[in-house]
Amino acid sequence: NVNGAFFDTGERYGSHVKTALGMGWGETEMLLGNLLRRRDHQDFQDGSTIPSSSSSSTVVATKFTPSPWRTTVQSVVRSCQESRKRLNVDSVDLYQIQMPDIIKPLKYAFGYNTPSLDTVYWDGLAECYHMGLVKNVGVSNYGPTLVTQCYEHLAKRGVPLASNQIAYSLLNRRNGAQQTLETCHDLGVKTLAYYPFAMGLLTGKYTDDNMPELSTENNAIINRSSSSLSNSRRSKLERKDLERYARGDGKRIPLGGVGPLLQTMERIATRREKTVAQVALNYIVCKGAIPIPGARTAAQYVDNMGALGWRLGEDEVEELEYVADNLGFTFDGAGFKRSNGELFSSFLGHVHVVVDIK
């Protein structure tokens, strides 16, 4: 049941290069705000159209970015007010903290460690909530301990913690991701999963030449994805890392890379008359998380929607996890986009689109 579009962005997101350099402040929020003003059908480059959501069914989420110069509750409130203006909304549906307070330039440059501002930012979220600037509050890239502390801190202010956004996929369940999801479940906090395709690895776009056994339908999806990839401005370093994961290097990544998992996903997809990408998304839904897939084209959007309305069986989930766990490696990102380093989240960007899944 598709209840409406969920747009997820952040104040620091802009173009690929601007986001990486921390210069994209407000760019995608303004872009999304302009799109939300146009409630009629949206035309795509390939001539197709999809109906835009009405204001009542569109959910808009954005993020506050912790920074060394933001040290007060009011800095969070001001940031939220500016985001509201750029997004052209009266109240932000979901206002999130981009990451824990880990950007410490004085620590890295001079060894001087300043106190954490996490509780200040949590109080800022609570203030935004009580002022009616936001309808829900969430966090991003929080592990089990920190998300629990945030949940308890906000509860004392009478504010429910709605969500925690983390990197989660068949290839990224370790490094605390699975434990975080389980903690969120116990707390009643929704987990939003970014990188559900492991930056494209779980669609087969990097391995189509090594997997001739993929079905015609899946190859068609992969070809469309590869075309999109060529226009996605992936850096050479990102492409090099992703291709190494896809094919293996015989060193850190066993030869064959992600191939065995894709073959298993393909068998399940064929049996269910689905695509590999749809299996990747449905797996996340079955684990109790809400995937945030990217969609650069109408075809990709339509394919993503095919992950709704059905569920993998328990035996299929177990098989997928068994094969993934025996690949000999885990995926933590590519290039500067990492999910296991202190500064990884400062390089994440753009607008994610997902739908409400029931």
Side-chain angles (χ1 to χ4, degrees):
N1 178 32
V2 180
N3 191 40
F6 172 21
F7 295 91
D8 177 72
T9 186
E11 64 176 354
R12 69 165 291 118
Y13 297 166
S15 66
H16 186 82
V17 174
K18 287 183 179 179
T19 299
L21 297 177
M23 300 169 57
W25 292 85
E27 188 171 311
T28 59
E29 285 185 330
M30 288 187 287
L31 174 62
L32 179 55
N34 290 333
L35 291 174
L36 293 175
R37 290 188 185 95
R38 294 153 55 186
R39 299 292 181 180
D40 295 329
H41 284 65
Q42 301 296 308
D43 296 325
F44 290 84
Q45 292 181 352
D46 61 5
S48 62
T49 64
I50 61 171
S52 62
S53 300
S54 66
S55 58
S56 62
S57 60
T58 298
V59 177
V60 177
T62 192
K63 305 180 190 73
F64 166 86
T65 303
S67 304
W69 59 87
R70 290 174 160 176
T71 60
T72 66
V73 169
Q74 284 305 310
S75 66
V76 181
V77 174
R78 285 193 297 268
S79 174
C80 181
Q81 291 171 328
E82 292 169 1
S83 290
R84 285 170 61 236
K85 292 178 183 178
R86 289 190 290 262
L87 290 167
N88 191 40
V89 296
D90 295 325
S91 179
V92 178
D93 294 301
L94 176 62
Y95 195 54
Q96 308 156 93
I97 296 177
Q98 173 85 48
M99 57 187 170
D101 180 32
I102 55 176
I103 306 300
K104 303 288 186 181
L106 293 179
K107 174 183 177 181
Y108 301 127
F110 306 108
Y112 178 69
N113 192 18
T114 56
S116 171
L117 295 171
D118 286 322
T119 57
V120 174
Y121 298 147
W122 300 343
D123 285 335
L125 287 184
E127 191 69 15
C128 291
Y129 181 86
H130 287 306
M131 291 176 64
L133 301 177
V134 303
K135 297 176 183 176
N136 300 278
V137 299
V139 293
S140 300
N141 305 306
Y142 275 35
T145 300
L146 199 56
V147 75
T148 300
Q149 292 173 350
C150 180
Y151 173 88
E152 293 173 347
H153 187 92
L154 289 175
K156 294 176 182 178
R157 298 285 307 271
V159 179
L161 179 63
S163 63
N164 182 22
Q165 188 174 147
I166 62 171
Y168 187 84
S169 72
L170 262 169
L171 289 178
N172 189 2
R173 302 181 351 266
R174 303 177 186 178
N175 299 324
Q178 183 62 43
Q179 184 183 357
T180 299
L181 186 150
E182 293 169 358
T183 299
C184 288
H185 177 76
D186 292 341
L187 295 172
V189 175
K190 295 295 184 182
T191 298
L192 305 182
Y194 67 84
Y195 289 171
F197 297 133
M199 296 179 71
L201 287 172
L202 295 180
T203 66
K205 69 169 67 174
Y206 294 98
T207 51
D208 55 305
D209 57 337
N210 287 343
M211 296 190 63
E213 69 274 19
L214 285 180
S215 67
T216 301
E217 181 180 9
N218 275 298
N219 270 321
I221 293 293
I222 290 169
N223 289 336
R224 290 197 291 269
S225 298
S226 298
S227 176
S228 171
L229 175 67
S230 66
N231 298 320
S232 66
R233 301 189 185 93
R234 287 257 187 241
S235 69
K236 291 183 179 180
L237 181 58
E238 289 170 10
R239 290 184 64 91
K240 180 179 179 181
D241 283 346
L242 290 169
E243 289 170 359
R244 182 165 56 88
Y245 277 113
R247 297 174 175 83
D249 56 12
K251 300 176 183 177
R252 180 170 175 264
I253 311 297
L255 292 177
V258 75
L261 178 58
L262 284 176
Q263 291 169 7
T264 301
M265 295 172 70
E266 163 65 10
R267 286 196 296 273
I268 294 173
T270 300
R271 183 166 63 244
R272 288 186 167 271
E273 298 184 343
K274 302 294 180 181
T275 66
V276 167
Q278 289 166 358
V279 170
L281 293 179
N282 196 269
Y283 167 80
I284 293 174
V285 174
C286 289
K287 298 298 288 186
I290 301 174
I292 307 179
R296 293 179 60 85
T297 67
Q300 291 175 354
Y301 172 85
V302 171
D303 189 63
N304 289 344
M305 296 306 97
L308 302 176
W310 60 283
R311 292 290 186 272
L312 291 165
E314 291 184 9
D315 57 333
E316 293 172 320
V317 170
E318 291 176 359
E319 181 183 11
L320 289 169
E321 291 181 340
Y322 177 82
V323 176
D325 290 345
N326 284 278
L327 288 175
F329 67 92
T330 58
F331 177 75
D332 59 19
F336 290 113
K337 296 180 179 178
R338 300 284 173 174
S339 59
N340 67 340
E342 279 193 333
L343 300 180
F344 82 95
S345 52
S346 63
F347 297 100
L348 304 179
H350 308 299
V351 177
H352 301 290
V353 181
V354 72
V355 295
D356 187 19
I357 300 173
K358 294 186 176 180

